[in-house]
């Protein structure tokens, strides 16, 4: 296992580029199960989760090749089984369920278990597909799904679910008739998926709003499609500028999609400015101020930026209150930040952060992807050396993170634990 060793206390300055979005690329790759012609994806990040998805697609009978950010998919003769060995390492594997049922009328997909950030059930995915005519059984830890041709239906989600909306959207594009998805999630990654499906011949309206209408078509072709930039990686870099008192030009930074994050960073005392070359980020003055944040579905503040913002709050004057509104257990970074000298009091789904004058390097353990990013940010600002262990979590979602940060002045090396 690898760890990152960070010599902290250096300001980051210069240009840093954002990669393609992991959470947009994963549903796009699974959507290729639906296609009858080849598709090419560009701007695909070189990440562990992407390679897991490609491995699963090959097992499902979809030939997939990755080379330098480009994925070539050929039309597949899908096989219906997604084995536990892969699903357990990446929950997003469940996104093959909708496409498999739509394309071949059967699927055997391991039921994803809980994970570090919560129970994360998939009941909304299954209920929606049942309304479209699918039948499910749970056997030996696998979801067994069958259907004749899926039929359009009116589906109202109990809560906006990103994966649920994506799975149902992919199921609906080849269904008979109209499907209406109500209380749909509005995340930009869903819009990216819808735009790709439309480019392949699907008929979709309303994506980006909470009501999506899909008219089923009989077949989908292929196309070449560029994955959107990663708004969470971009947000992480904006925080890196603030926490190290540096000055970064974040290239390919999706401004509009990051609005909720930018507003909070500005309220904390950061200067964030859109320029033709990218987004400039630095502190406005010497110090940062505390701010209160609630995570919510898009366009609210993203849960995937909560841990990183909390690292910044640790060094802001005054107090901040964080309320995690999406996942029930997403404060695993709190005890680790505390080991570095932070003053944080969690209480249920909230945490009170009181700013401290400085953090100290320490050995810390990453528990999930965004918690890892938060510890790296804290390590960049801390006095002394921080060892971030179990960084395989980080490698799932941040492409070449230590190379990118070192190029703007960080001192990070990767070592064996
Ligand atoms: C996606 O997960 C992202 N993953 C997550 O990214 C992100 O944190 C999350 O959306 C919220 O924005 C990918 O895009 C691959 P949800 P997803 O369904 O789709 C509950 C990262 O760090 N729920 O929107 O699994 C669920 O438990 C991550 O990159 C049900 O109860 O999230 C949660 O409380 C991790 N039943 C809430 O809804 C369901 O059937 C939102 O989950 C589905 C969800």
């Amino acid at each position: 296992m690898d760890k990152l060793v960070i010599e902290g206390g250096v300001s980051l300055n210069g240009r840093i580029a954002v990669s393609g979005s992991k959470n947009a690329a994963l549903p796009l790759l699974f959507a290729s199960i639906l296609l009858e012609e080849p598709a090419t994806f560009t701007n695909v990040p070189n990440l562990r989760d992407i390679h897991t998805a490609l491995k699963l697609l090959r097992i499902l009978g979809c030939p997939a090749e990755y080379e330098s950010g480009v994925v070539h998919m050929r039309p597949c003769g899908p096989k219906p089984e997604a084995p536990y060995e892969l699903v357990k390492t990446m929950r997003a594997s469940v996104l093959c369920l909708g496409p498999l049922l739509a394309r071949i009328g059967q699927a055997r997909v391991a039921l994803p278990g809980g994970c570090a950030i919560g129970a994360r059930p998939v009941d909304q995915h299954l209920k929606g597909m049942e309304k479209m005519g699918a039948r499910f059984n749970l056997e030996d830890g696998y979801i067994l799904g069958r259907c004749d041709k899926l039929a359009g239906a009116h589906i109202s989600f109990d809560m906006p679910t990103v994966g649920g909306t994506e799975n149902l959207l992919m199921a609906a594009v080849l269904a008979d008739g109209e499907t209406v998805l109500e209380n749909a999630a509005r995340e930009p990654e869903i819009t990216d998926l819808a735009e790709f499906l439309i480019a392949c011949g699907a008929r979709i309206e309303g994506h980006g709003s909470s009501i999506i209408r899909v008219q089923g078509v009989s077949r989908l072709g292929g196309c070449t499609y560029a994955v959107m930039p990663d708004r969470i990686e971009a947000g992480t870099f904006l925080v890196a500028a603030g926490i190290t008192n540096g000055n970064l030009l974040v290239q390919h930074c999706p401004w509009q999609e990051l609005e909720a994050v930018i507003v909070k960073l500005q309220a904390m005392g950061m200067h964030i400015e859109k320029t033709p070359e990218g987004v400039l980020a630095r502190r406005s003055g010497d110090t940062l101020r505390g701010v209160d944040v609630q995570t919510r579905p898009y366009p609210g503040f993203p849960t995937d930026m909560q841990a990183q913002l909390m690292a910044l709050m640790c060094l802001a004057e005054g107090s901040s209150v964080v309320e995690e509104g999406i996942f029930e257990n997403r404060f695993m970074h709190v005890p680790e930040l505390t080991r570095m000298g932070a003053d944080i009091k969690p209480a249920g789904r909230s945490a009170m952060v009181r700013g401290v004058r400085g953090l100290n390097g320490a050995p810390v353990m990453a528990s999930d992807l965004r918690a890892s990013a938060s510890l790296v940010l804290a390590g960049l600002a801390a006095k002394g050396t921080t060892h971030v262990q179990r960084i395989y979590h980080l490698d799932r979602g941040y492409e070449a993170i230590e190379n990118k940060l070192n190029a703007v002045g960080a001192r990070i090396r990767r070592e064996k634990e």
Side-chain angles (χ1 to χ4, degrees):
M1 258 192 277
D2 289 350
K3 66 176 175 182
L4 289 185
V5 181
I6 306 172
E7 307 294 342
V10 193
S11 293
L12 302 189
N13 291 291
R15 290 165 185 251
I16 191 161
V18 175
S19 299
S21 158
K22 162 184 86 82
N23 288 350
L26 292 173
L28 288 171
L29 292 175
F30 288 116
S32 50
I33 295 172
L34 296 162
L35 310 182
E36 291 188 22
E37 291 171 30
T40 299
F41 298 101
T42 60
N43 202 32
V44 182
N46 191 4
L47 297 172
R48 211 163 61 105
D49 273 10
I50 297 295
H51 292 290
T52 305
L54 294 174
K55 196 167 168 191
L56 176 54
L57 281 162
R58 288 182 203 114
I59 290 173
L60 292 171
C62 304
E65 284 160 34
Y66 179 94
E67 205 189 329
S68 322
V70 178
V71 170
H72 295 287
M73 299 287 316
R74 273 174 286 136
C76 38
K79 297 180 201 149
E81 175 145 341
Y84 179 60
E85 286 61 42
L86 287 178
V87 177
K88 75 175 179 198
T89 64
M90 189 184 71
R91 297 180 49 83
S93 309
V94 79
L95 293 175
C96 66
L97 192 57
L100 284 173
L101 287 177
R103 188 78 199 284
I104 56 169
Q106 51 176 316
R108 187 170 186 268
V109 178
L111 183 67
C115 68
I117 62 178
R120 300 181 76 184
V122 291
D123 57 306
Q124 299 296 307
H125 305 228
L126 303 185
K127 271 193 210 161
M129 288 181 227
E130 273 172 350
K131 274 202 115 177
M132 299 179 75
R135 298 170 303 280
F136 293 106
N137 289 313
L138 189 62
E139 264 181 27
D140 308 326
Y142 278 73
I143 304 165
L144 276 179
R146 282 194 173 277
C147 60
D148 302 325
K149 194 158 181 0
L150 289 172
H154 196 117
I155 294 155
S156 183
F157 292 107
D158 293 347
M159 77 286 289
T161 146
V162 175
T165 305
E166 291 165 345
N167 233 340
L168 268 297
L169 185 59
M170 292 188 280
V173 285
L174 290 180
D176 271 338
E178 182 181 66
T179 300
V180 180
L181 304 178
E182 244 185 56
N183 198 20
R186 300 168 57 189
E187 269 66 5
E189 292 76 14
I190 297 170
T191 303
D192 215 34
L193 173 64
E195 294 293 343
F196 166 73
L197 291 167
I198 291 169
C200 294
R203 292 175 60 199
I204 304 169
E205 283 173 9
H207 42 293
S209 81
S210 52
I211 301 184
I212 305 179
R213 286 178 194 279
V214 185
Q215 309 293 335
V217 296
S218 58
R219 73 184 290 280
L220 292 177
C223 73
T224 296
Y225 195 80
V227 178
M228 65 176 280
D230 194 314
R231 63 191 167 107
I232 305 302
E233 187 195 20
T236 305
F237 293 156
L238 299 181
V239 173
I243 207 165
T244 66
N245 200 3
N247 197 340
L248 290 177
L249 177 72
V250 183
Q251 297 174 302
H252 316 301
C253 178
W255 176 268
Q256 200 184 324
E257 290 79 359
L258 263 178
E259 196 184 340
V261 174
I262 290 172
V263 164
K264 288 296 172 189
L265 292 175
Q266 288 169 334
M268 290 183 80
M270 282 192 68
H271 175 88
I272 317 253
E273 183 189 339
K274 192 177 176 185
T275 76
E277 289 186 79
V279 172
L280 280 172
R282 59 177 161 77
R283 292 186 188 181
S284 309
D286 289 342
T287 54
L288 296 166
R289 301 179 283 280
V291 77
D292 295 343
V293 169
Q294 296 92 34
T295 66
R296 294 285 182 264
Y298 189 85
F301 189 93
T303 174
D304 291 348
M305 275 301 298
Q306 180 255 108
Q308 300 90 313
L309 195 78
M310 194 185 279
L312 190 64
M313 290 167 167
C314 292
L315 292 171
E317 275 181 5
S319 18
S320 306
V321 176
V322 179
E323 186 202 319
E324 172 52 53
I326 308 291
F327 292 111
E328 66 272 24
N329 190 24
R330 211 172 193 182
F331 283 143
M332 308 279 278
H333 41 287
V334 168
E336 303 303 304
L337 290 171
T338 306
R339 301 189 63 249
M340 298 177 73
D343 180 355
I344 312 172
K345 302 267 175 305
R349 280 187 166 212
S350 297
M352 155 83 85
V353 185
R354 290 198 177 84
V356 294
R357 292 184 71 84
L359 296 171
N360 297 309
V364 287
M365 197 143 72
S367 52
D368 74 72
L369 169 55
R370 308 304 169 184
S372 322
S374 148
L375 297 175
V376 170
L377 290 166
L380 288 170
K383 200 167 149 224
T385 310
T386 298
H387 296 250
V388 184
Q389 293 165 4
R390 298 202 184 165
I391 53 143
Y392 55 87
H393 293 293
L394 198 67
D395 292 335
R396 295 181 57 182
Y398 287 89
E399 186 176 52
I401 181 125
E402 70 267 37
N403 300 345
K404 287 191 185 186
L405 293 172
N406 285 342
V408 289
R411 293 176 302 189
I412 307 179
R413 56 183 195 277
R414 189 176 280 255
E415 285 183 1
K416 292 274 168 234
E417 271 182 40

